[in-house]
Amino acid sequence: MRTAYSVETVRAAERQLMARLPEGALMARAAAGLAVVCAELLARRRGRVHGARVVLLAGPGDNGGDALYAGARLARRGAAVTAVPMDPERMHPGGLAALRAAGGRVGASVPERADLVVDGLLGIGGRGGLRPAAAALVERIPAGTPVVAVDLPSGVDADTGEVAGPAVTADVTVTFGAYKPGLLTDPGASRVGAVRLVDIGLDLAGAPVETEALQHADVARLLPVPTASSDKYRRGVVGVVAGSQQYPGAAVLAVAGALRGGAGAVRYVGPAADAVLARFPEVLVGRGRVQSWVVGPGLGSGRAEEVERALADADVPVLVDADGLRGLDGAVVRRRRAATLLTPHAGEAAALLGAAREAVEAGRLAAVRELAGRYGAAVLLKGSTTLVAPAGGGAVRVNPTGTPWLATAGSGDVLSGLAGALLAGGLGAVDAGSAAAYLHGLAGRFAADGAPVVAQEVAAALPRAWRSVMA
């Protein structure tokens, strides 16, 4: 599992480590790791480091120092290294001396041609976007030149992923000691490129985790797998309350996600039974005993009582999606004994919070945490980075899988059914939501394979996603 820590936590660990090391040793470790990644990138692109034109965008702090020391290492390998300072009067003195001693130079402007640009303008303490001097340097990066960001792309908030104005878009980000939430969370995550973590010896044992991202092995441990003694009831029965005369397909897709998510059986309740049975004759129609409810996809605006009835089933986990989120009564949700999982997209989250959609998109981490706290429920916020926040606070799960092709009608209905099946299989709300998002993202990749995809193809690819995780 990838775990990300706040700037405050990382800084505290750095101070503890620096107190035990000779002066400058920690920066030397970081610069060495940065130089290795830069050299590997140059070697892949042009066959060698010698003769490569490397530009360092150097800020005045330790981030600029890391870039300068790494540039010195590249210069000693024969690269032509030019440092372009954000403020010529405030360059890191030790890094500048090392660069000049290695044969590097300081330039007044960004060259028109380069083989690699290193972004060392702002570190993890940067807030509020790039200042004009830094933004002007970023604008002059030659088009098509690969960019390596030092710790995180300048202009991205390390704690939140928020981007307030101009920011660097990197091809590779070399981060030191630990992941930071802004590297994993959009909109910042879309600017980091490939992330390389350099171990500099930080001790973060027991430190609070801000965000975490599951990997294959983590999901494999979570997924419920039937045993020889399992029957359909022990595997979990999902009740799906979805669809309407206007949106019968939502019911079909939610049921598809539930069936492909490992449920032993699915009970469908709603007016789209004919459409559901025509596609899935194994579905049970009508109310009965279930281990979870999925309510909301395609309900339309006139069936609020169905949502209330599901939430009133206090001992059974309930997933509320789409139309079920309209006018949701927070007091009712907070009174529930069993788990509740809300699965809004940004527009639905904005309506629940009384905020603008743009504000939710810009501050996704804050929005999902606020929703979870306000409703006392786990919240899965769908989007370019799907986030899952626990009801009682704590680390937010960041989903690392997916493809932009999943932004298609009905995709969320499949995800709801899938998560509902995992709830019925015994997973808690956060585990069910994050494992479902992971499988759904993998299925989207498999189904799309670089081309447009429709929701029913995503559902059909879920078994392949499941197998890839369990392999």
Side-chain angles (χ1 to χ4, degrees):
M1 184 180 293
R2 287 183 171 184
T3 52
Y5 300 85
S6 71
V7 170
E8 180 181 356
T9 297
V10 172
R11 290 294 196 214
E14 288 176 343
R15 288 192 294 270
Q16 292 174 1
L17 182 57
M18 284 189 289
R20 304 193 302 269
L21 294 175
E23 184 176 356
L26 191 62
M27 184 171 285
R29 290 180 182 180
L34 174 61
V36 166
V37 175
C38 290
E40 290 174 351
L41 183 59
L42 289 169
R44 286 198 303 271
R45 290 181 62 89
R46 59 187 310 277
R48 60 181 182 171
V49 176
H50 191 277
R53 295 161 297 187
V54 178
V55 176
L56 314 175
L57 304 183
D62 288 348
N63 197 253
D66 294 333
L68 291 167
Y69 277 116
R73 288 174 173 268
L74 295 173
R76 288 196 293 270
R77 295 184 59 177
V81 183
T82 302
V84 182
M86 185 170 69
D87 182 348
E89 303 300 319
R90 298 173 60 208
M91 295 183 73
H92 189 280
L96 178 58
L99 179 68
R100 283 177 165 159
R105 70 184 189 91
V106 177
S109 61
V110 179
E112 292 183 359
R113 298 178 63 191
D115 296 304
L116 180 69
V117 172
V118 178
D119 163 33
L121 292 170
L122 293 179
I124 60 176
R127 294 289 186 273
L130 295 179
R131 303 298 183 264
L137 293 181
V138 172
E139 289 175 359
R140 296 191 181 99
I141 294 175
T145 303
V147 175
V148 174
V150 180
D151 226 356
L152 84 164
S154 296
V156 173
D157 189 296
D159 277 338
T160 67
E162 295 178 20
V163 178
V168 169
T169 298
D171 296 278
V172 179
T173 295
V174 180
T175 199
F176 306 125
Y179 295 102
K180 289 79 184 178
L183 296 172
L184 306 179
T185 309
D186 270 331
S190 64
R191 293 179 174 269
V192 305
V195 180
R196 295 284 296 273
L197 176 64
V198 173
D199 182 4
I200 56 174
L202 299 186
D203 182 5
L204 292 163
V209 176
E210 294 295 314
T211 61
E212 57 191 19
L214 299 180
Q215 297 177 293
H216 266 39
D218 304 305
V219 178
R221 284 191 291 269
L222 291 175
L223 294 180
V225 178
T227 65
S229 62
S230 297
D231 58 31
K232 61 176 178 283
Y233 297 107
R234 290 189 179 95
R235 288 180 59 190
V237 180
V238 185
V240 175
V241 183
S244 59
Q245 294 297 329
Q246 187 176 7
Y247 304 115
V252 174
L253 292 168
V255 167
L259 288 170
R260 296 294 192 180
V266 175
R267 287 190 177 276
Y268 174 71
V269 178
D274 289 345
V276 169
L277 289 172
R279 183 69 181 277
F280 302 111
E282 60 267 47
V283 170
L284 311 172
V285 174
R287 291 188 177 274
R289 184 167 62 91
V290 299
Q291 279 77 51
S292 74
W293 285 107
V294 173
V295 58
L299 280 184
S301 58
R303 296 174 62 200
E305 72 281 357
E306 298 286 5
V307 181
E308 296 170 1
R309 185 169 180 178
L311 291 172
D313 197 346
D315 297 320
V316 174
V318 175
L319 181 150
V320 187
D321 184 34
D323 293 328
L325 296 167
R326 295 183 184 178
L328 189 65
D329 189 331
V332 172
V333 176
R334 287 190 296 272
R335 286 197 299 267
R336 300 193 75 250
R337 293 192 300 271
T340 307
L341 176 60
L342 312 181
T343 60
H345 56 55
E348 292 159 346
L352 290 171
L353 291 171
R357 179 176 184 138
E358 293 76 14
V360 171
E361 292 281 23
R364 297 181 61 79
L365 200 51
V368 75
R369 283 174 169 153
E370 184 177 351
L371 272 173
R374 184 178 298 190
Y375 284 87
V379 177
L380 184 156
L381 178 59
K382 295 178 281 194
S384 54
T385 300
T386 292
L387 304 176
V388 185
V396 173
R397 295 263 176 92
V398 182
N399 184 52
T401 65
T403 167
W405 293 116
L406 277 172
T408 186
S411 175
D413 303 331
V414 174
L415 175 61
S416 293
L418 171 60
L422 296 176
L423 285 171
L427 272 64
V430 171
D431 284 343
S434 50
Y438 195 99
L439 291 173
H440 185 257
L442 281 181
R445 288 182 190 173
F446 292 148
D449 194 22
V453 66
V454 296
Q456 59 183 323
E457 293 169 336
V458 176
L462 284 173
R464 181 180 173 188
W466 191 295
R467 287 192 296 271
S468 73
V469 165
M470 299 300 289

